Amino acid sequence: MIYRTIGIFAHIDSGKTTLTERILFEAGVISAIGTIEDGNTESDQLQEEIERGISIRTSFHTVPWKTSFGTFEIQLIDTPGHIDFRNQVTDLLPAMETAIVILEAGTVVQSQARLVMEELRKANVPIVFFINKLDRFGEEYLDTLVSLEEILQIPPVSLFQKGKSGHWEYYLQNESAFSKSVKEEILTWEEDSLLAFWKEGNDSSNLPKLSLKKGTKEGKLFPVYGGSAKTGEGVRELLDLVLWTEPKEINEDSRSPFLVLSRRTDPEIGRYAVVYPTLSIHKREIEKLLLGNLTPHHLHPQKALGIPETNGGDKKEISFLSPVSLDPLDPIIKGKLGVLLAHPGLTMEPGKPVLPKTSLDHIPDPNWNEATPSPFSVVLEPDLSSEKEFWLCRLEELVWEDPGYRLELREETGQMVLYGRGELHLEIGIRRISEKTEKKLNCSSINIAKLELFKKMSHKVALEHRAFEDQKSSGALIAVLEDTADFSKHIAFEVSLPEEVKHTIETSFMEACLHGFYGEEVCGLRLRVLAYEMPKGDLQTTLTLLKVAILAGVKECFPSNTYLVCPLTEIEVMVDADHLGVVLSDLSRRNAKVVSIFEAVAGKSHLKANASAQNLLGFSGALRNMTKGIGISWERTAFTSEFYAVLKE
């Protein structure tokens, strides 16, 4: 048996889930094809997925498949398309052997597909393209190929064509139907093979097929098939093509036998991770590798810290199970996906190898993840204080499954703050934790992160504060306030000072930056200390007065010298002509900037715009109402020193 891990990637609504459903049907895994409209597909099991008609989390499927060149077990992975769940896609890349990227006929390559192609190529994952929806758009895929060539910077190789009977023909199944020029196109990347092909002068030469097999793996060749996921045309042929090409070799990691693809929670077995074994190994060898150097407190970190144990805290062995039957597996086979139960002595971060916890200092905080903190957040408070532990448990399970969320506890107020990647991400997260319970959770409106950015300038200041009828002084501090190139803030000393004085200057400056003219944290500035005349007398009194001088003096510089900024959101919408005017009008009311509008296909216009994330809150719902169902096809929100929106200046 040959195991192949294959991911399906695409722009939102291009047909990933429909293709997955068709593959499962063609392989005999399911007896009837479900649809997104009916909410009965194998990939979308969450209530939110069924109601919204979108994939929220990655789904894994085992597909048996026989070809003329081998018998395979395909480990098919259907990925979410929405940008808010992007981390679930990138987490898969270290263990991805081959990728199917779906393109939609009748239009250029869309933004989400562009993004995933870039990430796949960086990760050296072989790509096979499938132009979908040819049942609707016929032979209207030339623009797609032209757009694809522009992105790849090399011509993709179209290996399907309309036959004399009116049906599509595919290269691997009917090689003789394709012209010599197509075979030469396959061989172009490999000069020696091309010269050998010319020398042979034989149309039945096996060189093009071998070159196709190798060139795709090396990222020198990008084969393209086309058809319809809905009707099944070209789907079986697509699988044969993908399996014919050589997969990416996933290298062994001497530190760990597993790569984590995704995390889940099951009512019966608790927390677990879907993992990719990077080598064949027996269970006893795994335990020796991962747990051999751990002491008892590493195996029970919760107990060592006085935290109640949850989810298998008493387990001392590693449990690796079949993803289908949940039966224990031993030995583990390289490349065959499995389920690894959460273990108190192991870290299991998506997209990374499973590693032992070597010290208490490295135990991850359950309320924090390493992802970049999101600019979107909501404040949560239980209706009854006695229910706080219940909601904390649900929130921690949400963060476990999707590290794109982050949970923060505010000790001073007792409130819980949930951070997410976007408006939709947070909305779905709250809906998920609120399912199947009558307990009430109070939620604030979505909060958008804001900062005050120091204007590009250099401002010299002389800071001094006197007290006790001017008998005591902080001393004269001469400094320059200047902007930085990013959102950072720091201090540069150009004079030698005692450590106590430096510490007072640093802490006072940082405290002064906490609340600017608009009430937000001030960033993008540096305090460059040029000189300081320290007065005689009591040091503690001097330091206290120095703090007051810095707090007052720095804050005096903020009015008219800072401007309020927030995240910027970019959107793309495919909208028909009847609704374009009302959509543009709503964007204008939200102070959005229209970047481009061009006619795409079937009377629809492709609209790109951007605005502050604050102004675009709720726009997705308003858009669906305006257009009777059409939603945003792509959305990205970011908050960096190069990518932000100005609110007040």
Side-chain angles (χ1 to χ4, degrees):
M1 181 70 70
I2 306 171
Y3 299 97
R4 290 287 293 272
T5 303
I6 299 171
I8 299 180
F9 306 88
H11 187 85
I12 190 169
D13 291 334
S14 293
K16 293 184 300 298
T17 299
T18 303
L19 178 61
T20 300
E21 196 75 7
R22 173 58 69 169
I23 289 173
L24 294 175
F25 176 75
E26 296 289 344
V29 176
I30 57 176
S31 57
I33 299 175
T35 65
I36 294 171
E37 294 75 16
D38 293 336
N40 58 351
T41 64
E42 294 294 311
S43 293
D44 297 339
Q45 299 291 329
L46 297 176
Q47 188 62 34
E48 285 295 304
E49 292 177 313
I50 294 169
E51 290 179 3
R52 295 173 183 270
I54 62 171
S55 295
I56 291 172
R57 66 179 184 180
T58 302
S59 63
F60 300 86
H61 310 274
T62 301
V63 181
W65 197 258
K66 288 187 177 182
T67 70
S68 60
F69 47 86
T71 300
F72 295 82
E73 183 175 290
I74 301 172
Q75 297 164 149
L76 195 65
I77 305 177
D78 183 13
T79 63
H82 198 282
I83 194 73
D84 281 11
F85 306 99
R86 191 84 213 127
N87 61 302
Q88 296 193 43
V89 174
T90 54
D91 289 343
L92 301 169
L93 298 184
M96 191 57 54
E97 294 177 343
T98 311
I100 298 173
V101 174
I102 302 175
L103 306 176
E104 193 169 339
T107 186
V108 297
V109 178
Q110 294 169 288
S111 53
Q112 194 77 344
R114 288 173 175 259
L115 179 60
V116 78
M117 285 160 54
E118 179 181 338
E119 291 170 339
L120 288 166
R121 294 182 76 183
K122 283 182 180 178
N124 298 315
V125 179
I127 304 173
V128 173
F129 292 96
F130 183 70
I131 300 179
N132 193 24
K133 303 184 182 181
L134 290 180
D135 56 318
R136 290 170 53 190
F137 298 105
E139 298 183 44
E140 294 182 24
Y141 61 89
L142 181 59
D143 288 346
T144 308
L145 290 175
V146 172
S147 175
L148 184 59
E149 181 175 350
E150 176 191 347
I151 297 164
L152 297 173
Q153 295 297 301
I154 61 173
V157 183
S158 179
L159 297 177
F160 70 109
Q161 62 188 15
K162 261 293 175 59
K164 295 179 181 178
S165 63
H167 294 290
W168 295 104
E169 296 177 336
Y170 299 92
Y171 182 79
L172 280 185
Q173 284 69 31
N174 191 7
E175 186 181 354
S176 61
F178 287 78
S179 66
K180 184 179 179 181
S181 62
V182 172
K183 298 171 184 178
E184 291 174 342
E185 196 175 353
I186 295 173
L187 290 162
T188 300
W189 73 275
E190 197 175 24
E191 186 176 340
D192 290 344
S193 295
L194 180 60
L195 293 173
F197 177 70
W198 284 341
K199 187 176 181 180
E200 283 184 13
N202 182 4
D203 284 347
S204 62
S205 170
N206 207 34
L207 286 173
K209 286 181 68 176
L210 295 176
S211 185
L212 173 62
K213 186 184 187 77
K214 181 182 175 184
T216 307
K217 177 188 178 181
E218 296 192 8
K220 303 291 181 63
L221 199 62
F222 295 95
V224 182
Y225 268 12
S228 169
K230 185 175 182 180
T231 66
E233 188 162 21
V235 172
R236 299 185 69 88
E237 292 82 0
L238 171 67
L239 278 188
D240 285 351
L241 173 62
V242 171
L243 295 172
W244 172 254
T245 61
E246 291 183 11
K248 173 186 174 181
E249 180 66 28
I250 309 299
N251 296 325
E252 294 182 8
D253 189 323
S254 59
R255 301 171 299 166
S256 172
F258 298 120
L259 287 172
V260 179
L261 278 66
S262 183
R263 300 193 303 208
R264 295 281 193 275
T265 302
D266 183 88
E268 295 183 6
I269 64 174
R271 292 180 177 179
Y272 68 90
V274 179
V275 296
Y276 179 102
T278 59
L279 70 160
S280 297
I281 189 171
H282 284 276
K283 178 184 171 183
R284 61 182 179 275
E285 294 171 324
I286 295 175
E287 293 183 340
K288 184 177 179 181
L289 175 64
L290 293 178
L291 304 180
N293 297 322
L294 297 184
T295 60
H297 72 264
H298 295 136
L299 297 175
H300 297 279
Q302 295 94 341
K303 189 177 292 183
L305 294 174
I307 301 172
E309 294 185 15
T310 59
N311 190 272
D314 292 329
K315 291 186 177 70
K316 293 184 180 179
E317 294 184 347
I318 289 178
S319 297
F320 184 76
L321 310 177
S322 161
V324 178
S325 63
L326 297 183
D327 294 329
L329 293 178
D330 190 22
I332 288 87
I333 300 172
K334 179 178 180 179
K336 182 174 174 57
L337 300 187
V339 168
L340 185 66
L341 297 191
H343 190 286
L346 301 176
T347 61
M348 302 167 71
E349 296 295 326
K352 299 179 181 179
V354 175
L355 293 172
K357 293 173 181 172
T358 54
S359 74
L360 291 176
D361 295 334
H362 291 93
I363 296 172
D365 182 345
N367 302 325
W368 178 262
N369 65 71
E370 296 177 1
T372 303
S374 167
F376 294 89
S377 65
V378 291
V379 178
L380 308 172
E381 202 161 5
D383 200 36
L384 299 174
S385 58
S386 60
E387 296 173 350
K388 184 174 180 179
E389 289 301 318
F390 169 83
W391 290 111
L392 273 175
C393 182
R394 288 211 162 186
L395 285 164
E396 287 170 0
E397 294 302 335
L398 181 70
V399 174
W400 163 264
E401 182 172 311
D402 183 355
Y405 294 104
R406 178 169 65 88
L407 177 62
E408 179 183 286
L409 303 180
R410 292 181 177 171
E411 293 183 5
E412 64 277 9
T413 63
Q415 294 172 316
M416 302 172 289
V417 183
L418 183 67
Y419 293 86
R421 292 180 174 271
E423 182 181 3
L424 178 66
H425 196 222
L426 278 178
E427 183 184 336
I428 286 175
I430 293 168
R431 287 281 298 273
R432 286 186 62 188
I433 64 172
S434 303
E435 286 177 353
K436 300 176 183 177
T437 180
E438 295 181 358
K439 293 180 173 64
K440 187 177 179 182
L441 183 67
N442 299 310
C443 305
S444 72
S445 57
I446 292 179
N447 301 312
I448 302 292
K450 300 181 185 68
L451 294 173
E452 289 184 49
L453 194 59
F454 201 63
K455 291 183 178 178
K456 292 188 179 298
M457 61 170 292
S458 183
H459 189 69
K460 193 171 184 179
V461 291
L463 306 176
E464 185 177 8
H465 182 74
R466 292 182 174 272
F468 305 106
E469 298 180 352
D470 289 343
Q471 293 181 15
K472 299 290 183 181
S473 170
S474 64
L477 176 70
I478 308 300
V480 174
L481 271 174
E482 54 193 7
D483 65 280
T484 63
D486 52 24
F487 282 172
S488 66
K489 52 182 183 289
H490 49 87
I491 299 177
F493 290 95
E494 297 187 3
V495 60
S496 179
L497 296 173
E499 285 302 318
E500 301 96 323
V501 175
K502 290 177 67 175
H503 178 71
T504 297
I505 294 173
E506 289 172 346
T507 55
S508 304
F509 172 68
M510 292 301 177
E511 186 177 336
C513 294
L514 290 178
H515 300 285
F517 180 69
Y518 299 105
E520 303 295 339
E521 182 182 358
V522 180
C523 293
L525 77 165
R526 171 173 53 239
L527 181 70
R528 188 155 51 88
V529 179
L530 304 180
Y532 176 59
E533 295 180 9
M534 189 171 177
K536 295 180 180 179
D538 180 56
L539 176 62
Q540 191 58 48
T541 301
T542 299
L543 295 179
T544 301
L545 295 177
L546 179 59
K547 180 175 182 179
V548 174
I550 294 171
L551 285 172
V554 171
K555 286 189 174 184
E556 282 181 5
C557 296
F558 291 159
S560 75
N561 288 330
T562 69
Y563 53 98
L564 191 64
V565 299
C566 82
L568 182 69
T569 297
E570 295 178 325
I571 59 169
E572 289 185 15
V573 180
M574 291 285 285
V575 59
D576 58 57
D578 294 339
H579 298 117
L580 183 59
V582 69
V583 172
L584 288 172
S585 177
D586 191 70
L587 285 172
S588 177
R589 286 195 296 271
R590 295 169 183 269
N591 294 323
K593 176 185 176 183
V594 176
V595 177
S596 65
I597 305 175
F598 62 87
E599 188 174 346
V601 65
K604 292 185 180 295
S605 293
H606 186 265
L607 167 65
K608 284 187 178 182
N610 62 53
S612 71
Q614 178 174 281
N615 291 352
L616 283 179
L617 281 176
F619 178 69
S620 181
L623 178 66
R624 284 194 295 271
N625 291 333
M626 287 185 286
T627 59
K628 298 180 181 179
I630 294 175
I632 293 174
S633 61
W634 189 78
E635 181 176 355
R636 178 174 77 115
T637 300
F639 197 18
T640 68
S641 54
E642 296 85 22
F643 194 87
Y644 60 84
V646 177
L647 294 175
K648 291 181 181 179
E649 187 170 4

